[in-house]
Amino acid sequence: MRNAQIRFPDIAADIARINAQREALVLGSFEALERRYPELAQVLLESVGSRQRAAHWMCTHQRAFDGRMAYELLGEGDLDSVWDLLSKAGRFGSEDRSAELRLAL
């Protein structure tokens, strides 16, 4: 049996396609967050500075959440833990809030 030829351009194209789908899902999820919890989304957006960064923060596994994503906590009904981390990391009103929230990643 012959090994199939590895076509790296095809692999690269597949990865690019999947990354584009993931980015669309991440941003779409943040839109859903904005509809369901507009105040939380706005505070997160203000804390990290951009919609894309806020969207990715929500999808990042956080040590403070025992390796889970903020969306997982919201799915379990634990909105308070997400607010707690944002308030600790962001100290709303501080000039350093964006850097501190990034450190919470």
Side-chain angles (χ1 to χ4, degrees):
M1 179 192 257
R2 293 181 58 187
N3 288 338
Q5 183 178 5
I6 297 173
R7 296 195 30 88
F8 289 109
D10 292 341
I11 293 170
D14 286 345
I15 290 171
R17 179 182 48 78
I18 291 168
N19 281 336
Q21 289 175 336
R22 181 185 187 280
E23 189 66 18
L25 180 60
V26 167
L27 294 174
S29 298
F30 193 74
E31 289 173 7
L33 179 73
E34 289 176 307
R35 286 190 301 274
R36 179 75 187 268
Y37 300 110
E39 187 178 357
L40 176 69
Q42 184 61 39
V43 167
L44 180 58
L45 185 58
E46 291 171 4
S47 296
V48 298
S50 76
R51 174 168 266 96
Q52 184 178 19
R53 290 177 66 175
H56 281 273
W57 186 88
M58 287 296 297
C59 297
T60 301
H61 297 271
Q62 306 287 339
R63 285 187 207 130
F65 300 151
D66 295 324
R68 294 177 292 162
M69 298 178 290
Y71 286 124
E72 290 176 285
L73 271 68
L74 294 179
E76 296 167 2
D78 190 1
L79 180 61
D80 290 340
S81 291
V82 179
W83 273 116
D84 287 347
L85 182 59
L86 287 176
S87 65
K88 288 177 190 172
R91 287 202 306 258
F92 310 119
S94 167
E95 291 300 317
D96 294 329
R97 65 183 178 217
S98 178
E100 291 173 10
L101 188 56
R102 282 193 302 274
L103 289 175
L105 292 177

